[in-house]
Amino acid sequence: MTDLANINKKILTEGETLPEVMLKDGSKVQTGTVATMLYNVARYNEGARGDIERELELSIPTLVTVGLFDLFPVEEWIAGTNAGRRFVGTKALELLAQNSRK
């Protein structure tokens, strides 16, 4: 089980699992990542750091792959007053900039 699959279990009832699925372009993504990101943003806004930050960062490549930041651009995430969204937006911007240099 991947790190992201283990992280995403936090939103599930005990014993439940979420599958990894293959998209039409051949990329694989872990289901439940958006829901877990929303859960973790709420925890971040309550003051949680450390593991929550790491978990949010691990979710970003999947969020990019599924097009979340095409629908809601990172600039919107960064510009808002929600600290958790700002953290995700900033980390997504860093990843996108890093990917564009490759």
Side-chain angles (χ1 to χ4, degrees):
M1 185 172 286
T2 67
D3 285 344
L4 205 48
N6 282 321
I7 291 166
N8 291 355
K9 287 171 66 173
K10 71 167 52 180
I11 64 166
L12 300 175
T13 301
E14 189 173 332
E16 295 292 323
T17 59
L18 293 164
E20 182 178 72
V21 297
M22 185 179 299
L23 302 179
K24 287 185 177 184
D25 68 0
S27 59
K28 292 182 179 181
V29 295
Q30 180 61 50
T31 59
T33 303
V34 173
T36 304
M37 179 268 302
L38 294 171
Y39 176 86
N40 281 338
V41 163
R43 302 296 73 76
Y44 186 96
N45 290 340
E46 293 169 352
R49 299 295 187 268
D51 285 344
I52 293 297
E53 291 169 316
R54 183 184 68 79
E55 292 174 7
L56 286 167
E57 287 185 59
L58 284 172
S59 73
I60 291 170
T62 297
L63 301 176
V64 169
T65 299
V66 299
L68 184 74
F69 300 112
D70 295 330
L71 184 59
F72 304 105
V74 293
E75 295 80 11
E76 288 181 20
W77 290 71
I78 294 169
T81 59
N82 182 302
R85 279 180 50 109
R86 191 174 323 108
F87 178 84
V88 171
T90 300
K91 293 301 179 178
L93 188 61
E94 290 172 10
L95 177 67
L96 293 169
Q98 183 180 37
N99 288 348
S100 71
R101 289 191 293 262
K102 292 181 179 179

Coordinates of all heavy atoms in Angstrom, one line a residue:
M1 N 0.8 -1.2 0.0 CA 0.0 0.0 0.0 C 0.9 1.2 0.0 O 1.9 1.3 0.7 CB -0.9 0.0 1.2 CG -1.9 1.1 1.3 SD -3.1 0.9 2.6 CE -4.1 -0.4 2.0
T2 N 0.6 2.2 -0.8 CA 1.4 3.4 -0.9 C 1.2 4.3 0.3 O 0.2 4.2 1.1 CB 1.0 4.2 -2.2 OG1 -0.4 4.7 -2.0 CG2 1.1 3.4 -3.4
D3 N 2.1 5.3 0.5 CA 2.0 6.3 1.5 C 0.7 7.0 1.5 O 0.0 7.2 2.5 CB 3.1 7.3 1.5 CG 4.5 6.7 2.0 OD1 4.5 5.7 2.6 OD2 5.5 7.4 1.7
L4 N 0.3 7.4 0.2 CA -0.9 8.2 0.1 C -2.2 7.3 0.4 O -3.1 7.8 1.0 CB -1.0 8.7 -1.4 CG -1.9 9.9 -1.6 CD1 -1.6 11.0 -0.6 CD2 -1.7 10.4 -3.0
A5 N -2.1 6.0 0.1 CA -3.2 5.1 0.4 C -3.4 5.0 1.9 O -4.5 5.1 2.5 CB -3.0 3.8 -0.2
N6 N -2.3 4.9 2.6 CA -2.3 4.9 4.1 C -2.8 6.2 4.7 O -3.6 6.2 5.7 CB -0.9 4.6 4.7 CG -0.6 3.1 4.5 OD1 -1.4 2.3 4.7 ND2 0.7 2.8 4.2
I7 N -2.4 7.3 4.1 CA -2.8 8.6 4.6 C -4.3 8.7 4.4 O -5.1 9.2 5.3 CB -2.1 9.7 3.9 CG1 -0.6 9.8 4.4 CG2 -2.8 11.1 4.2 CD1 0.3 10.6 3.5
N8 N -4.8 8.3 3.2 CA -6.2 8.5 2.9 C -7.2 7.6 3.7 O -8.4 7.9 3.8 CB -6.4 8.2 1.4 CG -5.8 9.3 0.5 OD1 -5.3 10.3 1.0 ND2 -5.8 9.1 -0.8
K9 N -6.6 6.6 4.4 CA -7.4 5.8 5.3 C -8.0 6.5 6.4 O -9.0 6.1 7.0 CB -6.6 4.6 5.8 CG -6.3 3.5 4.7 CD -5.4 2.5 5.1 CE -5.9 1.6 6.2 NZ -5.0 0.5 6.6
K10 N -7.4 7.7 6.8 CA -7.9 8.5 7.9 C -9.3 8.9 7.8 O -9.9 9.3 8.8 CB -6.9 9.6 8.3 CG -7.0 10.8 7.3 CD -6.3 12.0 7.7 CE -4.9 11.9 8.1 NZ -4.3 13.1 8.5
I11 N -9.8 9.0 6.6 CA -11.2 9.5 6.4 C -12.2 8.4 6.3 O -13.4 8.6 6.1 CB -11.3 10.4 5.1 CG1 -11.0 9.6 3.8 CG2 -10.4 11.6 5.2 CD1 -11.4 10.3 2.5
L12 N -11.7 7.1 6.4 CA -12.6 5.9 6.2 C -12.9 5.3 7.5 O -12.2 5.4 8.5 CB -11.8 4.9 5.3 CG -11.4 5.3 3.9 CD1 -10.6 4.2 3.3 CD2 -12.6 5.7 3.1
T13 N -14.0 4.5 7.4 CA -14.4 3.7 8.5 C -13.4 2.5 8.6 O -12.9 2.1 7.6 CB -15.8 3.1 8.3 OG1 -16.7 4.1 8.1 CG2 -16.2 2.1 9.4
E14 N -13.1 2.1 9.8 CA -12.1 1.0 10.0 C -12.4 -0.2 9.1 O -13.5 -0.6 9.0 CB -12.0 0.6 11.4 CG -10.8 -0.3 11.7 CD -10.6 -0.6 13.2 OE1 -11.0 0.3 14.0 OE2 -10.1 -1.7 13.5
G15 N -11.3 -0.7 8.4 CA -11.5 -1.8 7.6 C -11.7 -1.5 6.1 O -11.6 -2.4 5.3
E16 N -12.1 -0.3 5.8 CA -12.4 0.1 4.4 C -11.1 0.6 3.8 O -10.1 1.0 4.4 CB -13.4 1.3 4.4 CG -14.7 1.0 4.9 CD -15.5 0.0 4.0 OE1 -15.4 0.1 2.8 OE2 -16.2 -0.9 4.6
T17 N -11.0 0.4 2.5 CA -9.9 0.9 1.7 C -10.3 1.6 0.4 O -11.5 1.4 0.0 CB -9.0 -0.3 1.3 OG1 -9.7 -1.2 0.5 CG2 -8.4 -1.1 2.5
L18 N -9.5 2.4 -0.1 CA -9.8 3.1 -1.4 C -8.8 2.6 -2.4 O -7.6 2.4 -2.2 CB -9.6 4.6 -1.2 CG -10.5 5.3 -0.3 CD1 -10.0 6.6 0.1 CD2 -11.9 5.4 -0.9
P19 N -9.3 2.3 -3.6 CA -8.4 1.8 -4.7 C -7.5 2.9 -5.4 O -7.9 4.0 -5.3 CB -9.4 1.2 -5.7 CG -10.6 2.1 -5.6 CD -10.7 2.4 -4.1
E20 N -6.5 2.4 -5.9 CA -5.7 3.2 -6.9 C -6.3 2.9 -8.2 O -6.6 1.8 -8.6 CB -4.2 2.8 -6.8 CG -3.4 3.6 -7.7 CD -1.9 3.2 -7.7 OE1 -1.6 2.1 -8.2 OE2 -1.1 3.9 -7.1
V21 N -6.5 3.9 -9.0 CA -7.1 3.7 -10.3 C -6.2 4.3 -11.4 O -5.4 5.2 -11.2 CB -8.5 4.4 -10.4 CG1 -9.5 3.8 -9.4 CG2 -8.4 5.9 -10.2
M22 N -6.4 3.7 -12.6 CA -5.6 4.2 -13.8 C -6.5 5.1 -14.6 O -7.6 4.8 -15.0 CB -5.1 3.1 -14.6 CG -4.2 3.6 -15.8 SD -3.5 2.3 -16.8 CE -2.6 1.3 -15.6
L23 N -6.0 6.3 -14.9 CA -6.7 7.3 -15.8 C -6.5 6.9 -17.2 O -5.6 6.1 -17.6 CB -6.2 8.7 -15.5 CG -6.4 9.1 -14.0 CD1 -5.8 10.6 -13.8 CD2 -7.8 9.1 -13.5
K24 N -7.3 7.5 -18.1 CA -7.2 7.2 -19.5 C -5.8 7.5 -20.1 O -5.3 6.9 -21.1 CB -8.2 8.0 -20.3 CG -9.6 7.4 -20.1 CD -10.6 8.1 -21.0 CE -12.0 7.5 -20.9 NZ -12.9 8.1 -21.8
D25 N -5.1 8.5 -19.5 CA -3.7 8.8 -20.0 C -2.7 7.8 -19.5 O -1.5 8.0 -19.7 CB -3.3 10.2 -19.6 CG -3.1 10.5 -18.1 OD1 -3.3 9.5 -17.3 OD2 -2.8 11.6 -17.8
G26 N -3.1 6.8 -18.7 CA -2.2 5.8 -18.2 C -1.6 6.1 -16.8 O -1.0 5.2 -16.2
S27 N -1.8 7.3 -16.3 CA -1.3 7.6 -14.9 C -2.2 7.0 -13.9 O -3.4 6.8 -14.1 CB -1.3 9.1 -14.7 OG -2.5 9.7 -14.9
K28 N -1.6 6.6 -12.8 CA -2.3 6.0 -11.7 C -2.5 7.0 -10.6 O -1.5 7.8 -10.3 CB -1.6 4.8 -11.1 CG -1.6 3.6 -12.1 CD -0.9 2.4 -11.5 CE -1.0 1.3 -12.5 NZ -0.3 0.1 -11.9
V29 N -3.7 7.1 -10.0 CA -3.9 8.0 -8.8 C -4.7 7.3 -7.7 O -5.4 6.3 -8.0 CB -4.8 9.2 -9.3 CG1 -4.0 10.1 -10.3 CG2 -6.1 8.9 -9.8
Q30 N -4.4 7.7 -6.5 CA -5.0 7.1 -5.3 C -6.4 7.8 -5.1 O -6.4 9.1 -5.0 CB -4.1 7.3 -4.1 CG -4.7 6.7 -2.9 CD -5.0 5.2 -2.9 OE1 -4.1 4.4 -3.4 NE2 -6.2 4.8 -2.6
T31 N -7.5 7.1 -5.1 CA -8.8 7.7 -4.8 C -8.8 8.1 -3.4 O -8.1 7.6 -2.5 CB -9.9 6.7 -5.1 OG1 -9.7 5.5 -4.3 CG2 -10.0 6.3 -6.6
G32 N -9.6 9.1 -3.1 CA -9.8 9.7 -1.7 C -8.8 10.8 -1.4 O -8.9 11.4 -0.4
T33 N -7.9 11.1 -2.4 CA -6.9 12.2 -2.1 C -7.5 13.5 -1.9 O -7.1 14.3 -1.0 CB -5.9 12.2 -3.2 OG1 -5.3 10.8 -3.3 CG2 -4.8 13.2 -2.9
V34 N -8.5 13.9 -2.7 CA -9.1 15.2 -2.6 C -9.9 15.3 -1.3 O -9.7 16.3 -0.5 CB -10.1 15.5 -3.8 CG1 -10.9 16.8 -3.5 CG2 -9.3 15.6 -5.1
A35 N -10.6 14.3 -0.9 CA -11.3 14.3 0.4 C -10.4 14.4 1.6 O -10.6 15.1 2.5 CB -12.2 13.1 0.5
T36 N -9.3 13.6 1.5 CA -8.3 13.7 2.6 C -7.6 15.0 2.6 O -7.3 15.5 3.7 CB -7.3 12.5 2.4 OG1 -8.0 11.3 2.4 CG2 -6.3 12.5 3.6
M37 N -7.3 15.6 1.5 CA -6.7 16.9 1.4 C -7.7 18.0 2.1 O -7.2 18.8 2.9 CB -6.4 17.4 0.0 CG -5.8 18.7 -0.1 SD -7.0 20.1 -0.4 CE -7.9 19.6 -1.8
L38 N -9.0 17.9 1.8 CA -9.9 18.8 2.5 C -9.9 18.6 4.0 O -9.9 19.6 4.8 CB -11.3 18.6 1.9 CG -11.5 19.0 0.4 CD1 -12.8 18.6 -0.1 CD2 -11.2 20.5 0.2
Y39 N -9.9 17.3 4.4 CA -9.8 17.0 5.9 C -8.5 17.6 6.5 O -8.6 18.2 7.5 CB -9.9 15.5 6.0 CG -9.7 15.0 7.4 CD1 -10.8 14.9 8.3 CD2 -8.4 14.6 7.9 CE1 -10.6 14.5 9.6 CE2 -8.3 14.2 9.2 CZ -9.4 14.1 10.1 OH -9.2 13.7 11.4
N40 N -7.4 17.4 5.8 CA -6.1 17.9 6.3 C -6.0 19.4 6.3 O -5.4 20.0 7.2 CB -5.0 17.3 5.6 CG -4.7 15.9 6.0 OD1 -5.0 15.5 7.1 ND2 -4.0 15.1 5.2
V41 N -6.7 20.1 5.3 CA -6.7 21.5 5.3 C -7.4 22.0 6.6 O -7.0 23.0 7.2 CB -7.4 22.1 4.0 CG1 -7.8 23.5 4.2 CG2 -6.4 21.9 2.8
A42 N -8.5 21.4 6.9 CA -9.3 21.8 8.1 C -8.4 21.6 9.4 O -8.4 22.4 10.3 CB -10.5 20.9 8.3
R43 N -7.6 20.5 9.4 CA -6.7 20.2 10.6 C -5.6 21.3 10.6 O -5.3 21.8 11.6 CB -6.0 18.9 10.5 CG -6.9 17.6 10.4 CD -7.8 17.3 11.7 NE -8.9 18.2 11.9 CZ -10.1 18.2 11.2 NH1 -10.3 17.3 10.3 NH2 -11.1 19.0 11.5
Y44 N -5.1 21.7 9.4 CA -4.1 22.7 9.3 C -4.6 24.0 9.9 O -4.0 24.7 10.6 CB -3.6 22.9 7.9 CG -2.5 23.8 7.7 CD1 -1.2 23.3 7.6 CD2 -2.7 25.2 7.6 CE1 -0.1 24.2 7.4 CE2 -1.6 26.1 7.4 CZ -0.3 25.6 7.3 OH 0.7 26.4 7.1
N45 N -5.9 24.3 9.5 CA -6.5 25.6 10.0 C -6.7 25.6 11.5 O -6.9 26.6 12.1 CB -7.8 25.8 9.2 CG -7.6 26.2 7.8 OD1 -6.5 26.6 7.4 ND2 -8.6 26.0 6.9
E46 N -6.8 24.4 12.1 CA -7.0 24.3 13.5 C -5.6 24.3 14.2 O -5.6 24.3 15.5 CB -7.7 23.0 13.9 CG -9.1 22.9 13.4 CD -9.7 21.5 13.5 OE1 -9.0 20.5 13.8 OE2 -10.9 21.4 13.2
G47 N -4.5 24.5 13.5 CA -3.2 24.6 14.1 C -2.3 23.4 13.9 O -1.1 23.5 14.4
A48 N -2.8 22.3 13.4 CA -1.9 21.1 13.2 C -0.8 21.4 12.2 O -1.1 22.0 11.1 CB -2.7 19.9 12.8
R49 N 0.4 20.9 12.4 CA 1.5 21.1 11.5 C 2.2 19.8 11.5 O 1.7 18.7 11.9 CB 2.4 22.2 11.9 CG 1.8 23.6 12.0 CD 1.3 24.1 10.6 NE 0.8 25.5 10.6 CZ -0.4 25.8 10.7 NH1 -1.3 24.9 11.0 NH2 -0.8 27.1 10.7
G50 N 3.5 19.7 11.0 CA 4.3 18.5 11.0 C 3.7 17.5 10.0 O 3.8 17.6 8.8
D51 N 3.1 16.4 10.6 CA 2.6 15.3 9.7 C 1.5 15.8 8.8 O 1.4 15.4 7.6 CB 2.0 14.2 10.6 CG 3.0 13.4 11.3 OD1 4.2 13.4 10.9 OD2 2.7 12.7 12.2
I52 N 0.7 16.8 9.2 CA -0.4 17.3 8.3 C 0.3 18.0 7.1 O -0.2 17.8 6.0 CB -1.3 18.3 9.1 CG1 -2.1 17.5 10.1 CG2 -2.2 19.0 8.1 CD1 -3.1 16.4 9.6
E53 N 1.3 18.8 7.3 CA 2.0 19.4 6.2 C 2.6 18.4 5.3 O 2.5 18.5 4.1 CB 3.1 20.3 6.8 CG 2.6 21.6 7.5 CD 3.7 22.3 8.3 OE1 4.5 21.7 8.9 OE2 3.6 23.6 8.2
R54 N 3.2 17.4 5.8 CA 3.8 16.3 5.0 C 2.7 15.6 4.2 O 2.9 15.4 3.0 CB 4.5 15.3 5.9 CG 5.2 14.2 5.1 CD 5.8 13.1 6.0 NE 4.8 12.3 6.7 CZ 4.2 11.3 6.2 NH1 4.4 11.0 4.9 NH2 3.3 10.7 6.9
E55 N 1.6 15.3 4.8 CA 0.5 14.7 4.1 C -0.1 15.5 3.0 O -0.4 15.1 1.9 CB -0.6 14.2 5.1 CG -0.1 13.1 6.0 CD -1.1 12.8 7.1 OE1 -2.3 13.3 7.1 OE2 -0.8 12.0 8.0
L56 N -0.2 16.8 3.3 CA -0.7 17.7 2.3 C 0.3 17.8 1.1 O -0.2 17.8 -0.1 CB -0.9 19.1 2.8 CG -2.2 19.3 3.7 CD1 -2.1 20.6 4.5 CD2 -3.4 19.2 2.9
E57 N 1.6 17.9 1.4 CA 2.6 17.9 0.3 C 2.5 16.6 -0.5 O 2.6 16.7 -1.8 CB 4.0 18.1 0.9 CG 4.2 19.5 1.4 CD 5.6 19.8 1.8 OE1 6.5 19.6 1.0 OE2 5.8 20.1 3.0
L58 N 2.3 15.5 0.1 CA 2.3 14.2 -0.6 C 1.1 14.1 -1.5 O 1.1 13.4 -2.5 CB 2.3 13.0 0.3 CG 3.6 12.7 1.0 CD1 3.4 11.6 2.1 CD2 4.6 12.2 0.0
S59 N 0.0 14.9 -1.2 CA -1.2 14.8 -2.0 C -1.1 15.7 -3.3 O -1.8 15.4 -4.3 CB -2.4 15.3 -1.2 OG -2.4 16.7 -1.0
I60 N -0.2 16.6 -3.3 CA -0.2 17.6 -4.4 C 0.1 17.0 -5.8 O -0.6 17.3 -6.7 CB 0.8 18.7 -4.1 CG1 0.2 19.5 -2.9 CG2 1.1 19.6 -5.3 CD1 1.1 20.6 -2.3
P61 N 1.0 16.0 -6.0 CA 1.2 15.4 -7.3 C -0.1 14.8 -7.8 O -0.5 15.0 -9.0 CB 2.3 14.4 -7.1 CG 3.1 14.9 -6.0 CD 2.1 15.5 -5.1
T62 N -0.9 14.1 -7.0 CA -2.2 13.6 -7.4 C -3.2 14.7 -7.8 O -3.9 14.6 -8.8 CB -2.7 12.6 -6.3 OG1 -1.8 11.5 -6.2 CG2 -4.1 12.1 -6.7
L63 N -3.2 15.7 -7.0 CA -4.1 16.8 -7.2 C -3.8 17.5 -8.6 O -4.7 17.9 -9.3 CB -4.1 17.8 -6.1 CG -4.4 17.3 -4.7 CD1 -4.2 18.4 -3.6 CD2 -5.8 16.7 -4.6
V64 N -2.5 17.6 -8.9 CA -2.1 18.1 -10.2 C -2.5 17.2 -11.3 O -3.1 17.6 -12.3 CB -0.6 18.3 -10.2 CG1 -0.1 18.6 -11.7 CG2 -0.1 19.5 -9.3
T65 N -2.3 15.9 -11.1 CA -2.6 14.9 -12.1 C -4.1 14.9 -12.5 O -4.5 14.8 -13.6 CB -2.2 13.5 -11.7 OG1 -0.8 13.5 -11.5 CG2 -2.6 12.4 -12.7
V66 N -5.0 15.0 -11.4 CA -6.4 15.0 -11.7 C -7.0 16.3 -12.2 O -8.2 16.4 -12.5 CB -7.2 14.4 -10.5 CG1 -6.8 13.0 -10.1 CG2 -7.1 15.4 -9.3
G67 N -6.1 17.4 -12.2 CA -6.6 18.6 -12.8 C -7.2 19.6 -11.8 O -7.8 20.6 -12.2
L68 N -7.0 19.4 -10.5 CA -7.6 20.3 -9.5 C -7.2 21.7 -9.7 O -8.0 22.6 -9.6 CB -7.3 19.8 -8.1 CG -8.0 20.6 -7.0 CD1 -9.5 20.3 -6.9 CD2 -7.4 20.4 -5.7
F69 N -5.9 21.9 -10.0 CA -5.4 23.2 -10.1 C -5.6 23.9 -11.5 O -5.3 25.0 -11.7 CB -3.9 23.3 -9.8 CG -3.6 22.8 -8.3 CD1 -3.0 21.6 -8.1 CD2 -4.1 23.5 -7.3 CE1 -2.8 21.1 -6.8 CE2 -3.9 23.1 -6.0 CZ -3.3 21.9 -5.7
D70 N -6.2 23.1 -12.4 CA -6.7 23.6 -13.7 C -8.0 24.3 -13.4 O -8.4 25.3 -14.0 CB -6.8 22.6 -14.8 CG -5.5 22.0 -15.2 OD1 -4.4 22.7 -15.1 OD2 -5.4 20.8 -15.5
L71 N -8.8 23.6 -12.6 CA -10.2 24.1 -12.2 C -10.1 25.2 -11.2 O -10.8 26.2 -11.4 CB -11.0 22.9 -11.6 CG -12.4 23.2 -11.3 CD1 -13.2 23.7 -12.5 CD2 -13.1 22.0 -10.7
F72 N -9.2 25.1 -10.2 CA -9.0 26.1 -9.2 C -7.6 26.5 -9.2 O -6.8 25.8 -8.5 CB -9.5 25.6 -7.8 CG -10.9 25.1 -7.7 CD1 -11.1 23.8 -7.7 CD2 -11.9 26.0 -7.7 CE1 -12.5 23.3 -7.6 CE2 -13.2 25.6 -7.7 CZ -13.5 24.2 -7.6
P73 N -7.1 27.5 -9.9 CA -5.7 27.8 -10.1 C -5.0 28.1 -8.7 O -5.6 28.6 -7.8 CB -5.7 29.1 -10.9 CG -7.0 29.1 -11.7 CD -8.0 28.4 -10.7
V74 N -3.7 27.7 -8.7 CA -3.0 27.9 -7.5 C -3.0 29.3 -7.0 O -3.0 29.5 -5.7 CB -1.5 27.4 -7.6 CG1 -1.5 25.9 -7.8 CG2 -0.8 28.1 -8.7
E75 N -3.1 30.2 -7.9 CA -3.1 31.7 -7.4 C -4.3 31.9 -6.6 O -4.3 32.7 -5.6 CB -3.1 32.6 -8.7 CG -1.9 32.5 -9.5 CD -1.8 31.3 -10.4 OE1 -2.8 30.6 -10.6 OE2 -0.7 31.1 -11.0
E76 N -5.5 31.3 -6.9 CA -6.7 31.4 -6.0 C -6.4 30.8 -4.6 O -6.9 31.4 -3.7 CB -7.9 30.7 -6.7 CG -8.4 31.4 -7.9 CD -9.6 30.7 -8.5 OE1 -10.3 29.9 -7.8 OE2 -9.9 30.9 -9.7
W77 N -5.8 29.7 -4.6 CA -5.5 29.1 -3.3 C -4.6 29.9 -2.5 O -4.8 30.1 -1.3 CB -4.8 27.7 -3.5 CG -5.7 26.7 -4.1 CD1 -6.2 26.6 -5.4 CD2 -6.2 25.5 -3.4 NE1 -7.0 25.5 -5.5 CE2 -7.0 24.8 -4.4 CE3 -6.0 25.0 -2.2 CZ2 -7.6 23.6 -4.0 CZ3 -6.7 23.8 -1.8 CH2 -7.5 23.2 -2.8
I78 N -3.6 30.5 -3.1 CA -2.6 31.4 -2.4 C -3.2 32.7 -1.9 O -2.9 33.2 -0.8 CB -1.4 31.6 -3.2 CG1 -0.6 30.2 -3.4 CG2 -0.4 32.6 -2.6 CD1 0.5 30.3 -4.5
A79 N -4.1 33.3 -2.8 CA -4.6 34.6 -2.5 C -5.7 34.7 -1.4 O -5.9 35.7 -0.8 CB -5.2 35.2 -3.8
G80 N -6.3 33.6 -1.1 CA -7.3 33.6 -0.1 C -6.8 33.7 1.3 O -5.6 33.8 1.6
T81 N -7.8 33.8 2.2 CA -7.4 34.0 3.7 C -7.4 32.7 4.4 O -7.0 32.6 5.6 CB -8.5 34.9 4.3 OG1 -9.8 34.2 4.2 CG2 -8.5 36.3 3.7
N82 N -7.7 31.5 3.7 CA -7.6 30.2 4.4 C -6.2 29.7 4.4 O -5.6 29.5 3.4 CB -8.5 29.3 3.6 CG -8.6 27.9 4.2 OD1 -7.6 27.2 4.4 ND2 -9.8 27.5 4.5
A83 N -5.6 29.6 5.6 CA -4.2 29.3 5.8 C -3.9 27.9 5.1 O -2.8 27.7 4.5 CB -3.8 29.3 7.2
G84 N -4.8 26.9 5.3 CA -4.5 25.6 4.8 C -4.5 25.6 3.2 O -3.6 25.0 2.6
R85 N -5.5 26.3 2.7 CA -5.5 26.4 1.2 C -4.2 27.2 0.7 O -3.6 26.8 -0.3 CB -6.7 27.2 0.7 CG -8.0 26.4 0.7 CD -9.2 27.2 0.2 NE -8.9 27.9 -1.0 CZ -9.4 27.7 -2.2 NH1 -10.2 26.7 -2.4 NH2 -9.2 28.5 -3.2
R86 N -3.8 28.2 1.4 CA -2.6 28.9 1.0 C -1.4 28.0 1.1 O -0.5 28.0 0.2 CB -2.4 30.1 2.0 CG -1.3 31.1 1.5 CD -1.2 32.4 2.3 NE -2.4 32.9 2.8 CZ -2.8 32.9 4.1 NH1 -2.1 32.3 5.0 NH2 -4.0 33.4 4.4
F87 N -1.3 27.1 2.1 CA -0.2 26.2 2.2 C -0.2 25.3 1.0 O 0.9 25.1 0.3 CB -0.3 25.4 3.5 CG 0.8 24.4 3.6 CD1 2.1 24.7 4.1 CD2 0.6 23.0 3.3 CE1 3.1 23.8 4.2 CE2 1.6 22.1 3.4 CZ 2.8 22.5 3.9
V88 N -1.3 24.7 0.7 CA -1.4 23.8 -0.5 C -1.1 24.5 -1.8 O -0.3 24.0 -2.6 CB -2.9 23.1 -0.5 CG1 -3.0 22.4 -1.9 CG2 -3.1 22.2 0.7
G89 N -1.6 25.7 -1.9 CA -1.4 26.5 -3.2 C 0.1 26.8 -3.3 O 0.7 26.7 -4.4
T90 N 0.7 27.2 -2.2 CA 2.2 27.5 -2.3 C 3.0 26.3 -2.6 O 3.9 26.4 -3.5 CB 2.6 28.1 -0.9 OG1 1.9 29.3 -0.7 CG2 4.1 28.4 -0.9
K91 N 2.7 25.2 -2.0 CA 3.4 23.9 -2.3 C 3.1 23.4 -3.7 O 4.0 22.9 -4.4 CB 3.1 22.8 -1.3 CG 3.6 23.1 0.1 CD 5.1 23.3 0.1 CE 5.6 23.7 1.5 NZ 7.0 23.8 1.5
A92 N 1.9 23.6 -4.2 CA 1.6 23.2 -5.6 C 2.3 24.1 -6.6 O 2.9 23.6 -7.6 CB 0.1 23.3 -5.8
L93 N 2.4 25.4 -6.3 CA 3.2 26.3 -7.2 C 4.6 25.9 -7.2 O 5.2 25.9 -8.3 CB 3.0 27.8 -6.6 CG 3.6 28.9 -7.5 CD1 2.9 28.9 -8.9 CD2 3.4 30.2 -6.8
E94 N 5.2 25.5 -6.1 CA 6.6 25.1 -6.1 C 6.8 23.8 -6.9 O 7.7 23.7 -7.7 CB 7.0 24.8 -4.6 CG 7.2 26.0 -3.8 CD 7.4 25.7 -2.3 OE1 7.7 24.5 -2.0 OE2 7.4 26.6 -1.5
L95 N 5.9 22.9 -6.8 CA 5.9 21.7 -7.6 C 5.8 21.9 -9.1 O 6.6 21.4 -9.9 CB 4.9 20.6 -7.2 CG 4.8 19.3 -8.0 CD1 6.1 18.5 -7.8 CD2 3.6 18.5 -7.6
L96 N 4.8 22.8 -9.4 CA 4.6 23.1 -10.9 C 5.8 23.8 -11.4 O 6.2 23.6 -12.6 CB 3.4 24.0 -11.0 CG 2.0 23.2 -10.7 CD1 0.9 24.2 -10.6 CD2 1.8 22.1 -11.7
A97 N 6.4 24.7 -10.7 CA 7.6 25.4 -11.1 C 8.8 24.4 -11.3 O 9.5 24.5 -12.3 CB 8.0 26.5 -10.1
Q98 N 8.9 23.5 -10.4 CA 10.0 22.5 -10.5 C 9.8 21.6 -11.7 O 10.7 21.3 -12.4 CB 10.0 21.6 -9.2 CG 11.0 20.6 -9.1 CD 10.9 19.8 -7.8 OE1 9.8 19.5 -7.3 NE2 12.0 19.5 -7.2
N99 N 8.5 21.2 -11.9 CA 8.2 20.4 -13.1 C 8.5 21.1 -14.4 O 8.9 20.5 -15.4 CB 6.8 19.9 -13.0 CG 6.5 18.9 -12.0 OD1 7.5 18.3 -11.4 ND2 5.3 18.6 -11.7
S100 N 8.3 22.4 -14.4 CA 8.5 23.2 -15.7 C 9.9 23.4 -16.0 O 10.3 23.6 -17.2 CB 7.8 24.5 -15.6 OG 8.4 25.4 -14.7
R101 N 10.8 23.2 -15.0 CA 12.2 23.3 -15.2 C 12.8 22.0 -15.8 O 14.0 22.0 -16.2 CB 13.0 23.7 -14.0 CG 12.7 25.1 -13.5 CD 13.7 25.5 -12.4 NE 13.4 24.8 -11.2 CZ 12.7 25.2 -10.1 NH1 12.1 26.4 -10.2 NH2 12.5 24.5 -9.1
K102 N 12.1 20.9 -15.7 CA 12.6 19.6 -16.2 C 12.6 19.5 -17.7 O 11.8 20.0 -18.4 CB 11.8 18.5 -15.6 CG 12.0 18.4 -14.1 CD 11.2 17.2 -13.5 CE 11.5 17.1 -12.0 NZ 10.8 16.0 -11.4

